[in-house]
Each structure stands twice: as C-alpha cells, then as structure tokens.
Amino acid sequence: MLDLNTKKIKKNAYRVTKVRGETASRIRVPGGLLTADILPIIQNIAETYGNGRIHLTTRQGFEIPGIRYEDMDAVNALLQPIIDKLDINQEIPGKGYTAAGTRNVSACIGSNVCPFANYNTTDFAKKMEKEIFPNDLHFKVAFTGCANDCIKARMQDFGIIGMTEPQYEKERCVNCQACVKACKKKSVDALTVENYRIVRNTEKCVGCGECVINCPTRAWTRSTEKYYRLVIMGRTGKRNPRLAEDFLVWTTEDVIIKIINNTYKFVENYIDRSAPGGKEHIGYIIDRAGFSEFKKWALDGVDLGDKTIVKGPVYWSGLHYD
Amino acid sequence: MGYQINQDKMNAILTELSKKYKIYGPRRYVGDGTFAHVDTIRYGEVTTLDDIEFKEKSNYSFKEVLLPISETLFYFTENEMKEADAPHSGAIVFLRSCDLHGLKRMDTIYLKNGAVDTYYKRLRDNTKFILMGCEDSFENCFCVSMGTNQSDDYDAYLKIDGQNVLIDSHWDLLDTALAEMPEIQVIPDAVSQNKTVVEIPEAIPQSVIDSPFWEDYANRCIACGRCNFVCPTCTCFTMQDIFYTDNGKAGERRRVWASCHVDGYTDMAGGHAFRDNKGQRMRFKVMHKINDYKKRFGTQMCIGCGRCDDVCPEYISFSNCINKLNTLVKEEN
C-alpha cells in the first residue's frame, strides 16, 4: 500500500500524475545545453523504470513518465551522473534533483551557434542557476541572445535580452549602406547617412547588432562590454496573461544577478503566505505591493553604472479575465 | 644576409625603427568579428613581435596600409585647396608571400597603368616589406596554383623560432642593426602544395558572358562586397565630396574603397546600372581576375590567398568557380 508525502515528492522533482501509482521524473537542463553522453542515461531510466517515452519540456528539460513511485530511489541513483555533469546545485548527493518554485533557467542557443546572439546565453544561465537554486519561490528566468527573443524572455518574470553597443570606426566605412538596409528592414531603422557616413540614433537603437553582422569592413564592431535589456513580470495563466515590460536597458550581468537576488528578498517579505502551496507569482505580488516598492527592494545596493536606463513607473497591460 | 637574434633584441630594433617607420602587421582584434566572441585578424600598428599574429591567416589583407579604406585627398574652401597630409611617411609591413605578390598587382594598377597615382606613390615609396613564411597551407589557399607561394623580393624575411628570430635581410638599414649578430643561412618557409588546386582556363571565349553558368551566382550572391574588401588585388575606389555641415563653403574630397559586387558600382547619372544582376557581377569579377587583367598586363591578377572563399557568408567559392569555368570552357572547345 503506497503511503506518500506528495509535498516531498514534488520537492524531489517528481510529478504527482493523473495515473494512480505512477510519477514522472523531471530533469532540468540549465541553459538548455547538455553533452550527448547524458542522453543514454536518460534513455536507460525511461526504458528501465519509465514507459519508454520522454517528454521534452517547455523550459528545456526532460520529463520521464510512467515511473512507479517505489522506484524513485533507484531513479535518483541513476540521475546522479546527470546532476554531476550539469553541475546542478544539489542539496543531498545521491538523492536526485531538488525542485520547488524556481523553474529551470532556460536559454536560447546563443552565441555558441547563432549568428544573431550578442552573448553566451548558456553561460549566463548556468551562472544564474548557481545563484538562485534551489529555491521554493516561484521564479521564471530566461536568457535570449538578441531582440528576436526566441526563448520568449517576455513571458518570464525576468527576461534577459542580449544587446551590444555598436562601435563605429568611420575611417573603415565605405558607405555600402548594408547596415542601413539591415537596420531598416530587420530592426528599428535607427541609422541614417550624413555626408556618406552613418549616424546612429542612440534613442532608437535596440542594440541588436544587425549593423555589426552586416558590415563588410569592420567599421561596425561590438562593444567590449556586454549589455542587456532586463524585462520583467511577463506571465501566462488564468487571470492576467501579459508580456514582460522593460525595466532596465543597457544594463550589465552583475546588476541583473543582484536584482534577481534582491527580488527573492522582496518576495519573502510580501508573499501571501496563505496562497495555495505557499506559492504566489511575483507579478501578482508586485501588482499588490506596487511597482515603486518592488523597485526600492530590487535596486537596493545596486550600482547601475552610467549607461543603464531605468524605466518606470512600469505598467503592464495584457488580458484581464479577473 | 641571414641572422639569428633573440626576440628581445629584435623588439628593441623594431622600437628603434618605429621612430622612422610606422610598423604594420596582422593583429588579432579580440571580439571584433562579425559575430559575438569572434576575433578578426586584420592589419594594424604593431610595436613588438608579440602583437603580430603569425599562426593564422589574416581575414583582411595588408592593402589598407597603402590604400586606406577611406582617405582624404584634399581639403577645399572657396578658391583654395590643400592636399591632405599622408597617413604615414614611412612604413614597415609584415605580410605573407601571396600578399607580397598582391603588392605587385597594386603597383601595376597605381604606378604602371598610365598616370602615376601620387597618393599611392607617397605611401608606397618609403614602405619596407617583411615576409612572414608559411610552414603549412591554410584553408582555401591556392597560392601554388597561382605561383605566389614563394617570394624573394622582400626587404626582409622574419621567422619566430622559439625564443629566437631568424632573419634574412635584403635591407641595409636592417643589416646595420643586425651587424653584431651571428650570421646563418635563412631560407623562407614556403608551402609547396595546397589542398585547393585551381586550373585557370586558357582562352576563355567571349560567349561565356551569356552563359547560364552565372545564373547560379545571381541567386546566391547577396552583394555584400566582402570578397572584394578582403582581396589584396581589388583596388577600385570611389569618390566622396563632403561639404562640412556647419560651413557649406569648406569641405574635403575622400576616396573610399568600392566593390563591383555592391549596389551602385555601375550606377550612371539618370539611374541606369550596367550590372543589376548579381550573377553578372560575379562574372565581371571572375573574368577580371583570371582573364582581362592578364590580357592587359601579362600576369594573373588573383594571388590565391583564398580570403574571398574564407569570408563569403553565402559560401560562394571563387576557386571552385574557376575550376567549374575551366570545365565549361574545355567542353565548349
């Protein structure tokens, strides 16, 4: 006769499924990048203890359904090399994943492969994993390499969109206008020509890097510093699904890490303790506490530097069903 | 004369030379590439041997030292004008054998093709060329096919050999600086074969202009001009007359690199363009490199560095185009 503590099971990254007696093991892959040698381990678990099927999750993980609850210890033992290889923050070695509120930090393929990416999304995602895992609070963080936002960063509590500040060496420019055309047709039309040379409208420029990508002479290059647009409090859900809005533009890695860590403190302070499962989405907490109160907590002790533009007060729109 | 010298002493000689010459070499520009975290190797000023990228092929050629990408020729206001000062009065350029052959192509166009180009000549006259050897062929190189894999008309040859530097000097100033050093025989490294081999067709018939052969390139080429800009033998330029915006009575004339692949190259007053079709632009370039130039000057233009193949974002291969053209010409004959 099964006698289970479902709360503990969920915290161990197993799902309570609709099928009586069967659970599903959830394997998080921070940053969405793994080495191929992990796949046979997943295959082995699915074929030995599951039903031979594997679900690819939206947040870049694997979910192995059809596992009997009594096999969880055996599965945890098989998961250990995956956890080691992925360098997951693990609470008790040998006891599987720790899971709770904070969701897998996901990332687009980034500058390892994609020509449009302005930074290594996987590296930043893994760094973020180290900062915030494991944690009971419901946080969704995702990294995307450029403004195309393939990871859907604007559907997250924190979306990090890569930017570069284009550097123009006018003496290398041949006025071919490849940058102007690319910016006009693929981005925000921030470039104009004056006396055969390019003028960048810094107010309009979104730092996508199209000018750099299309420049044939290296007149346009990337800034040494990596910049990011931090968008906040996007969400799906029943009441008020909405896209994340800009909070910081031209910000840096250190600032983003500090702000997300600060937000955990804000949530600890303002969360509705009576919320089901002790979980309440950050966005609804900010809706209740007010943006200015969130901002006060988020920017506590943060040195924004000279370049960062702070947006606010931030208002979200989206659909209201409540 | 051949010499052996340690790197520190050679760097001291370079420091001394830099008082009179600007020293240019292929440098690694970290993160300067088209994509994030990608470097570019292109020409820039160097102060020590450590600044020079000896291991890899440069993405861009040395040509910008003698033919700046954008060069102000003169300034004008009302009834007066002043010629712009030269970017440098003397230079030393580190380059590989293929590029040294490219220099001959530039000399032909700017010095031996009718009127002497004074702007080129004033940069060229007091420039010394130091050969960098090639122990192995790089990807896409076809210098052996073009006969540019070896050079002996350098001012010096320099090779890094552990902590030492091996030099073969043809330059009296350098001989004087190296007078105390042990003399040894130094023979430049040169490759004797490349993975890429091209066979240039002899006597290309005029009918190739209308061949459907070029249609493939019409669909593939995006007219970015990268193949031209990286090529040490592409020497076309255009002019820009600028009137300073705060004072419409003063301005400058610049000459700027031009590319026969980029839109606007053949534009005429009234808006007509001769080669709208990108396949025809490819045809024009290829024929110029392997046919027209030779007819006029007696040597092949292309020096087989393969940079055009290295850089093309659409993976159009110039060397493969030549070989395919060769097959086509053979079939037609």
Side-chain angles (χ1 to χ4, degrees):
Chain A
M1 187 63 65
L2 279 172
D3 184 3
L4 301 166
N5 181 334
T6 60
K7 289 180 180 62
K8 279 188 178 171
I9 285 168
K10 288 177 191 171
K11 277 205 168 193
N12 199 194
Y14 288 93
R15 189 195 285 272
V16 176
T17 73
K18 60 181 278 194
V19 183
R20 195 82 191 159
E22 283 185 7
T23 180
S25 166
R26 311 174 88 182
I27 298 168
R28 290 192 306 109
V29 182
L33 185 72
L34 69 167
T35 49
D37 57 345
I38 289 173
L39 293 179
I41 306 173
I42 297 170
Q43 180 190 4
N44 181 34
I45 296 170
E47 289 176 349
T48 309
Y49 295 103
N51 58 19
R53 294 180 177 202
I54 297 164
H55 177 74
L56 298 175
T57 75
T58 54
R59 296 204 70 86
Q60 299 182 324
F62 300 94
E63 183 156 343
I64 308 173
I67 293 171
R68 306 293 306 172
Y69 285 104
E70 48 268 40
D71 289 332
M72 286 188 298
D73 285 345
V75 170
N76 280 342
L78 291 177
L79 286 173
Q80 193 57 38
I82 300 175
I83 289 165
D84 292 339
K85 283 173 196 286
L86 292 176
D87 196 23
I88 298 289
N89 279 357
Q90 190 182 24
E91 282 185 322
I92 312 161
K95 294 291 179 190
Y97 274 88
T98 311
T102 298
R103 301 299 202 249
N104 188 42
V105 181
S106 42
C108 74
I109 195 163
S111 68
N112 283 324
V113 175
C114 180
F116 302 117
N118 284 315
Y119 69 106
N120 190 317
T121 51
T122 304
D123 283 356
F124 200 167
K126 287 183 167 181
K127 198 166 182 177
M128 189 57 71
E129 149 92 18
K130 285 282 152 204
E131 289 284 335
I132 62 177
F133 270 90
N135 201 300
D136 286 345
L137 298 173
H138 190 286
F139 274 56
K140 287 177 180 159
V141 183
F143 292 85
T144 203
C146 75
N148 287 351
D149 191 10
C150 294
I151 199 70
K152 317 302 177 218
R154 287 198 187 263
M155 302 291 280
Q156 318 287 324
D157 296 316
F158 292 97
I160 293 95
I161 301 170
M163 300 174 84
T164 190
E165 185 188 32
Q167 308 290 303
Y168 183 57
E169 194 178 331
K170 60 183 190 302
E171 297 296 325
R172 294 191 72 81
C173 178
V174 296
N175 190 41
C176 69
Q177 299 191 20
C179 54
V180 179
K181 289 174 195 163
C183 190
K184 186 179 174 67
K185 290 183 177 169
K186 296 172 79 180
S187 192
V188 297
D189 197 11
L191 302 179
T192 50
V193 183
E194 194 178 307
N195 265 347
Y196 299 100
R197 282 179 176 160
I198 312 301
V199 179
R200 181 173 66 100
N201 182 335
T202 53
E203 303 275 313
K204 274 182 107 177
C205 176
V206 292
C208 65
E210 280 291 345
C211 49
V212 179
I213 294 166
N214 286 282
C215 180
T217 59
R218 311 326 302 136
W220 287 112
T221 53
R222 288 188 161 71
S223 51
T224 309
E225 181 75 69
K226 302 264 182 273
Y227 294 102
Y228 307 92
R229 182 184 298 265
L230 177 65
V231 300
I232 58 168
M233 306 307 141
R235 65 189 174 208
T236 55
K238 299 181 183 75
R239 269 188 234 164
N240 172 219
R242 65 190 190 188
L243 290 177
E245 293 285 336
D246 288 5
F247 179 33
L248 303 182
V249 190
W250 303 108
T251 192
T252 57
E253 187 175 298
D254 291 346
V255 167
I256 289 167
I257 290 170
K258 190 93 202 277
I259 283 175
I260 292 177
N261 278 324
N262 278 347
T263 306
Y264 277 92
K265 292 179 202 159
F266 165 81
V267 171
E268 284 285 0
N269 195 62
Y270 282 102
I271 194 168
D272 177 1
R273 300 284 167 194
S274 68
K279 284 178 190 157
E280 189 185 21
H281 290 192
I282 321 167
Y284 290 105
I285 301 171
I286 294 176
D287 291 350
R288 196 172 61 242
F291 172 77
S292 58
E293 184 65 11
F294 160 74
K295 184 179 163 185
K296 189 180 84 184
W297 284 74
L299 296 183
D300 181 40
V302 174
D303 178 10
L304 288 169
D306 298 334
K307 207 172 269 297
T308 303
I309 297 166
V310 183
K311 299 281 187 176
V314 174
Y315 298 104
W316 292 266
S317 54
L319 299 161
H320 283 274
Y321 296 106
D322 52 343
Chain B
M1 201 76 86
Y3 305 91
Q4 182 176 312
I5 181 172
N6 75 37
Q7 285 200 34
D8 291 343
K9 285 183 180 168
M10 188 61 217
N11 282 331
I13 291 174
L14 289 180
T15 304
E16 194 57 32
L17 287 170
S18 68
K19 291 173 185 167
K20 208 175 154 201
Y21 297 90
K22 278 197 176 181
I23 306 174
Y24 296 93
R27 294 192 62 139
R28 178 175 292 275
Y29 288 81
V30 175
D32 246 22
T34 302
F35 310 120
H37 308 289
V38 174
D39 303 343
T40 302
I41 301 165
R42 58 178 169 85
Y43 274 74
E45 273 195 74
V46 297
T47 51
T48 70
L49 293 169
D50 285 342
D51 293 337
I52 301 171
E53 178 59 59
F54 280 96
K55 290 195 175 68
E56 290 181 40
K57 191 201 299 188
S58 64
N59 305 109
Y60 291 79
S61 86
F62 76 102
K63 77 176 172 187
E64 62 192 83
V65 176
L66 299 182
L67 186 67
I69 297 174
S70 173
E71 181 180 14
T72 301
L73 303 184
F74 55 81
Y75 303 93
F76 53 82
T77 182
E78 297 175 333
N79 295 319
E80 291 172 28
M81 62 86 82
K82 178 202 174 289
E83 203 164 81
D85 295 338
H88 54 79
S89 57
I92 295 169
V93 180
F94 284 78
L95 78 184
R96 296 181 189 279
S97 176
C98 54
D99 276 356
L100 197 50
H101 284 266
L103 174 68
K104 293 177 193 166
R105 313 295 185 267
M106 290 174 73
D107 285 350
T108 301
I109 293 294
Y110 282 104
L111 303 177
K112 299 166 192 162
N113 182 28
V116 168
D117 185 292
T118 55
Y119 297 100
Y120 178 79
K121 187 171 187 299
R122 68 182 185 173
L123 291 177
R124 170 73 175 89
D125 274 350
N126 201 20
T127 300
K128 301 293 177 185
F129 297 91
I130 300 185
L131 180 69
M132 303 158 68
C134 297
E135 287 178 61
D136 298 299
S137 181
F138 297 102
E139 193 176 355
N140 293 327
C141 291
F142 54 99
C143 53
V144 176
S145 298
M146 303 312 298
T148 58
N149 52 322
Q150 288 182 321
S151 294
D152 51 18
D153 51 353
Y154 46 79
D155 293 296
Y157 164 74
L158 186 148
K159 178 186 177 161
I160 305 287
D161 185 28
Q163 284 308 302
N164 290 323
V165 176
L166 305 178
I167 294 169
D168 184 38
S169 170
H170 296 173
W171 181 18
D172 50 1
L173 194 66
L174 199 56
D175 283 323
T176 310
L178 292 164
E180 305 292 312
M181 299 301 143
E183 290 182 15
I184 58 164
Q185 193 186 25
V186 177
I187 298 167
D189 289 329
V191 298
S192 55
Q193 56 182 4
N194 310 117
K195 200 173 158 193
T196 303
V197 175
V198 305
E199 194 179 335
I200 295 181
E202 293 291 337
I204 304 173
Q206 194 77 3
S207 61
V208 82
I209 291 177
D210 300 317
S211 169
F213 177 78
W214 307 106
E215 282 172 18
D216 180 40
Y217 300 104
N219 297 324
R220 294 168 65 195
C221 173
I222 58 167
C224 69
R226 283 173 172 83
C227 52
N228 298 123
F229 297 133
V230 299
C231 177
T233 72
C234 275
T235 53
C236 286
F237 60 80
T238 187
M239 288 293 185
Q240 298 175 346
D241 281 355
I242 310 302
F243 296 87
Y244 300 139
T245 48
D246 287 354
N247 174 7
K249 289 181 177 176
E252 65 182 70
R253 172 168 291 182
R254 302 193 283 246
R255 73 172 174 195
V256 180
W257 286 3
S259 154
C260 55
H261 274 274
V262 170
D263 289 351
Y265 184 80
T266 61
D267 282 3
M268 305 278 292
H272 176 69
F274 289 108
R275 288 186 295 274
D276 264 340
N277 182 299
K278 296 177 185 70
Q280 290 302 307
R281 296 180 195 181
M282 181 72 175
R283 190 261 310 155
F284 174 81
K285 179 188 71 184
V286 170
M287 292 296 281
H288 187 43
K289 298 284 178 199
I290 64 161
N291 188 66
D292 307 343
Y293 181 96
K294 191 182 178 190
K295 275 189 181 167
R296 190 160 166 186
F297 300 111
T299 53
Q300 285 296 350
M301 185 179 182
C302 173
I303 47 91
C305 68
R307 288 188 181 99
C308 49
D309 285 12
D310 297 336
V311 78
C312 181
E314 299 302 313
Y315 285 85
I316 292 171
S317 166
F318 179 76
S319 56
N320 196 36
C321 177
I322 299 173
N323 284 336
K324 285 198 293 187
L325 192 60
N326 188 44
T327 306
L328 183 76
V329 169
K330 277 182 181 166
E331 283 169 1
E332 293 206 350
N333 288 341

